[in-house]
């Protein structure tokens, strides 16, 4: 049981994938068109954009000699210094100096937007990138920025020791002046005692000068050991290739985005489309078999396609419908068949006339009754006049056809037209008189096909359905709403109608997203009958089929049986 369930699940998934692929194939031209338009638009827009160049330089943060150790705290401190310097590079004092030196017609905010500073992780390197529409200017800004910042860092760190060094320097200058004065006085003095005192004083001053000089050198050493500097290790050069716009990348990205957007719109359209699309939907949603699918064909006036081109694939599909209708009558014979649909313009009259012709070609006497007493059209399709018809029979006191049953130009097909349009079609079709008319026509016919108005538009089909042996519902894929088809089936079931199947009409294999379902069948039939020709039929094929004799009828019945079993 589990294996069967898994098999059904896999089959459903395969069907879903096939349907999605067929849907995408149907809308492929829209998807490709959207991608093409988006790509071309992005290409021309990118071509018109002003190119932007990037100039890049790298600097090294030289840590202070006193901090050159391998402990974790020192390493963390160095990372913090690198990050701090990266932040300081885009501050206003630095940017103002760059603007001043290069005489840029910019403010610091605009210049900051052009500069990108990125510390390299786990290193003491900082990458500086300047973006500009002028490649030379970009390189100049990058190099000047490093120079200005390096000088500013040196000045900033030197200011910490400037006061101490200035004080020591002033003291040493004073001592040197005093020493020079004492030396001069000692040389000029004649008293040995005075000379001795002056020399002793000079000696003390020299010792004091030496101490102060030692302190000055110690301060300088301390400054050198605690100062971090900036070194430019890779100067910026003038770029030759713009970084934006990336024409090819933008074109491809826009094409992909356009394609994905089109696919999304297609799926949205499909999800909102509640029309019948495939035979599986009819089987699962309506619980009815699909007896045939009629391929789309070009209109040839009022003449049915089975009369004009009896050997075409479309005519063959009507013969398939004829065979399946015959096999639908298992429990009881189908003498009266009503054809209806959910809405207008779905091809009921086309199905009725062509089905009548292929039934007549198999040797049956077929009568078409135009039960559409509101918008009749059978008389135009069969080439008979509409002066005396069904509405006339309702007025006869005795049930005699009295000329209402007319022979058409098609052998084996008789027609009862609608006649004059009455004011109360529903009441007439649901009356006992209609039942009597059907019984009378049965005496002259083997099969009666009744064309009726749409079931959801008026009640004519619903009141007539209980009086016939079977009902055939016409569905036009892509046009008939699934909800309308369901409502039609429920409405006919409520009145006790015997619905034996559905026929798909106007199936366009070239344009519809569901046409692939039957495309192989029609290609096989065309190749079987017409060899390698590309045309479905030739002038010779358009000639009417010869009337079948007894043996031919038996042979055709055998072929129909094989077709049904296959």
């Amino acid at each position: 049981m589990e294996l069967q369930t898994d098999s059904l699940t896999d089959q459903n998934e395969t069907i879903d994938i096939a349907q999605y692929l067929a849907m995408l194939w149907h809308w492929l031209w829209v998807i490709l068109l959207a991608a093409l338009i988006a790509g071309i638009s992005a290409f021309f827009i990118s071509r018109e954009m002003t190119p932007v160049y990037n100039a890049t330089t790298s600097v090294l943060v030289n840590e202070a000699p006193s901090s050159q150790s391998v402990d974790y705290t020192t390493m963390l401190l160095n990372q913090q210094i690198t990050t701090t310097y990266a932040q300081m590079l885009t501050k206003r004092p630095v940017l103002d100096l760059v603007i001043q030196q290069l005489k840029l017609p910019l403010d610091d905010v605009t210049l900051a937007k052009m500069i990108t500073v990125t510390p390299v992780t786990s290193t003491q390197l900082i990458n500086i990138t300047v973006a500009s529409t002028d490649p030379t200017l970009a390189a100049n800004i990058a190099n000047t920025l490093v120079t200005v910042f390096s000088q500013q860092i040196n000045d900033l760190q030197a200011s910490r020791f400037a006061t101490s060094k200035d004080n020591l320097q002033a003291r040493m200058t004073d001592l040197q002046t005093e020493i020079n004065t004492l030396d001069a006085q000692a040389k000029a003095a004649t008293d040995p005692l005075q000379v001795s005192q002056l020399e002793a004083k000079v000696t003390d001053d020299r010792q004091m000068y030496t101490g102060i000089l030692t302190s000055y050198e110690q301060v300088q050493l301390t400054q050198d050991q605690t100062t971090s500097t900036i070194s430019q290790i890779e100067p910026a050069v003038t770029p030759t290739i713009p970084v934006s716009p990336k024409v090819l990348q933008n074109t491809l990205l826009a094409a992909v985005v356009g394609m994905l957007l089109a696919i999304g719109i297609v799926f949205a359209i499909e999800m909102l489309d509640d029309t019948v699309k495939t035979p599986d939907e009819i089987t699962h949603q309506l619980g009815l078999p699909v007896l045939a699918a009629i391929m789309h064909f070009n209109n040839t006036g009022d003449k049915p396609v089975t009369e004009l081109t009896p050997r075409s694939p479309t005519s063959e599909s009507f013969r398939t419908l004829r065979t399946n209708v015959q096999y639908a009558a298992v429990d009881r014979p189908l003498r009266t068949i009503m054809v209806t649909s959910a809405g207008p313009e779905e091809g009921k009259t086309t199905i009725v006339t062509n089905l009548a012709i292929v039934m007549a070609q198999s040797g049956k006497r077929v009568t078409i009754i135009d039960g559409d007493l509101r918008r009749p059209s059978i008389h135009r399709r069969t080439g008979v006049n509409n002066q005396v018809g069904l509405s006339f029979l309702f007025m006869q006191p005795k049930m005699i056809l009295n000329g209402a049953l007319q022979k058409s130009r098609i052998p084996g097909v008789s027609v009862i037209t609608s006649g004059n349009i009455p004011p109360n079609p529903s009441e007439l079709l649901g009356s006992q008189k209609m039942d009597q008319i059907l019984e009378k026509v049965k005496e002259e016919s083997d099969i009666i096909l009744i064309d009726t108005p749409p079931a959801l538009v008026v009640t004519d089909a619903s009141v007539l359905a209980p009086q016939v042996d079977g009902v055939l519902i016409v569905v036009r894929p892509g046009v008939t709403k699934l909800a309308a088809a369901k409502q039609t089936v429920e409405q006919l079931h409520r009145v006790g109608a015997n619905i034996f199947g559905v026929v798909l009409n106007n199936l366009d294999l070239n344009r519809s997203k569901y046409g692939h379902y039957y495309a192989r069948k029609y290609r096989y039939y065309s190749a079987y009958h017409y060899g390698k020709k590309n045309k479905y039929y030739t002038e010779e094929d358009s000639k009417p089929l010869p009337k079948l004799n007894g043996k031919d009828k038996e042979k055709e019945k055998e072929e129909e049986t094989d077709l049904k079993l296959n």
Side-chain angles (χ1 to χ4, degrees), residues 373-374 422-431 458-461 463-464 467:
L373 301 180
R374 303 172 189 270
N424 54 344
S426 298
E427 288 76 7
L428 295 179
L429 294 176
S431 64
V458 292
T459 60
D460 298 12
V463 299
L464 182 59
Q467 303 183 52

Side-chain angles (χ1 to χ4, degrees), residues 152 216 296 412 454 475 497 523:
Q152 190 180 60
Y216 183 88
H296 170 78
V475 170
R523 285 197 298 266

Side-chain angles (χ1 to χ4, degrees), residues 464-485:
L464 182 59
Q467 303 183 52
V468 299
D469 298 329
V471 176
L472 181 64
I473 298 178
V474 179
V475 170
R476 186 174 176 181
V479 175
T480 304
K481 301 290 185 180
L482 182 59

Side-chain angles (χ1 to χ4, degrees), residues 500-521:
F500 56 85
V502 173
V503 55
L504 297 180
N505 187 37
N506 201 27
L507 181 67
D508 193 341
L509 303 183
N510 296 323
R511 299 180 61 184
S512 65
K513 51 187 169 293
Y514 41 79
H516 72 285
Y517 193 92
Y518 285 97
R520 182 178 299 178
K521 170 185 173 182

